[in-house]
Amino acid sequence: MSPHKNVREVMLEAVPSLRAFAISLCGNVDRADDLVQEALLRALANLGSFEPGTNMSAWLFTILRNLFRSEYRKRRREVEDVDGSYAEQLTSLPEQSTRLEINEFRQALKLLPPEQREALILVGASGFSYEEAAKICGCAVGTIKSRVNRARSRLAELLSIDDASDFGADRETRAVVNSDLSNTRRT
Amino acid sequence: MNMRKPSRRRTAMDLQGSELKPVAKLGPDIKAKIGQQLRVMYSEVVNQGVPDRFVEILRGLDEPTDEGLKNESS
């Protein structure tokens, strides 16, 4: 039996999502990767304090978030790097218009208070339940729910979404997004 | 502008919490749209997989196990 192997696999699986979360906290890929690295090293050093049977991914997220809050927040968020090198490092999205829209979305996300942003991301993107997100952030479930709601309304406001057809950029972008959404591409 | 003003009762309850602005009720379309954008943004990073540096860091986890005797003489 090699119990550590399991742990390793679970940790490896969590890394992509941890990175995405870290980038949303730091706003910068390099710093985010350093943060993920620190979090993993800390997790490895404290494996004994992980309770088997609980959610390893949530545990890692908690460690990463605490690290970010204790260390990274001290250094002001100097470089936000929203439309610069960060976007260039991401090549997985082929559609230029979608890229524009996502950048716009990312910009808007940056304008949210950090607590709202992280709540929205944990629940809306990382796939955690409200309960898990509350644990990760060390607050009440109701607080998470309220933060998520506020984050959504603020985003809707910032991106002036009135209804589904009025989202950001131009008509072409919407067409692309909508066709992606419904998966019914007429060719 | 003809914005649909959601009917909202402005009570003291609305003004509680860390942010003082009352939260407007959002339609399901808007929620779905935001959710979709969030996931697209997130999956851009997730789809990059695990960079080597993290594979390296976690490789150490194999060593204390009974599989650790890999590098015998060659």
Side-chain angles (χ1 to χ4, degrees), chain A residues 11 38-49 56 59-60 63:
Chain A
M11 281 192 173
E38 270 184 71
L40 288 177
L41 290 173
R42 181 160 299 197
L44 290 180
N46 293 284
L47 263 185
S49 68
M56 166 75 83
W59 183 65
L60 293 172
I63 293 173

Side-chain angles (χ1 to χ4, degrees), chain A residues 1-2 4-5 8 11-12 15-17 19-21 23 33-34 36-37 40-41 44 47 61 89-90 92-93 99 101-102 105-106 109 116 120-121 124-126 150 152-153 155-157 162-164 167 177-178 181, chain B residues 2-4 13-24 26 29-51 53-55 57-62 64-67:
Chain A
M1 281 290 278
S2 53
H4 283 116
K5 188 140 188 233
R8 176 174 165 272
M11 281 192 173
L12 271 176
V15 167
S17 190
R19 289 185 74 226
F21 180 56
I23 289 171
D33 277 346
D34 288 345
V36 172
Q37 173 159 346
L40 288 177
L41 290 173
L44 290 180
L47 263 185
F61 271 70
Q89 287 175 62
L90 301 168
S92 53
L93 265 189
R99 149 109 348 272
E101 198 183 48
I102 293 298
F105 184 81
R106 189 175 276 119
L109 207 56
Q116 289 180 21
L120 182 68
I121 285 175
S126 312
R150 285 173 192 283
R152 284 191 184 126
S153 344
L155 277 180
E157 218 175 278
D162 228 357
D163 57 61
F167 190 90
V177 170
N178 287 337
L181 254 185
Chain B
N2 51 346
M3 291 212 290
R4 285 174 297 161
M13 286 287 283
D14 281 335
L15 299 172
Q16 282 177 356
S18 47
E19 297 84 13
L20 290 175
K21 265 176 86 182
V23 183
L26 293 178
D29 281 355
I30 298 176
K31 279 192 192 173
K33 202 73 188 154
I34 290 174
Q36 193 245 351
Q37 294 286 305
L38 257 185
R39 287 187 296 273
V40 170
M41 189 194 80
Y42 204 79
S43 64
E44 280 187 313
V45 181
V46 170
N47 290 340
Q48 294 175 344
V50 183
R53 64 191 277 195
F54 302 119
V55 178
I57 292 172
L58 294 175
R59 181 161 293 157
L61 269 180
D62 273 343
T65 73
D66 47 12
E67 276 188 312

Side-chain angles (χ1 to χ4, degrees), chain A residues 30-91:
Chain A
D30 292 332
R31 279 177 63 192
D33 277 346
D34 288 345
L35 180 61
V36 172
Q37 173 159 346
E38 270 184 71
L40 288 177
L41 290 173
R42 181 160 299 197
L44 290 180
N46 293 284
L47 263 185
S49 68
F50 173 69
E51 297 169 34
T54 61
N55 187 335
M56 166 75 83
S57 175
W59 183 65
L60 293 172
F61 271 70
T62 310
I63 293 173
L64 185 136
R65 181 182 177 275
N66 288 343
L67 266 176
F68 175 73
R69 289 180 79 89
S70 63
E71 293 170 32
Y72 283 67
R73 226 172 40 160
K74 279 185 222 149
R75 327 178 200 156
R76 290 266 138 176
R77 303 162 55 90
E78 333 96 42
V79 193
E80 285 298 323
D81 190 11
V82 177
D83 37 22
S85 62
Y86 174 45
E88 280 161 27
Q89 287 175 62
L90 301 168
T91 51

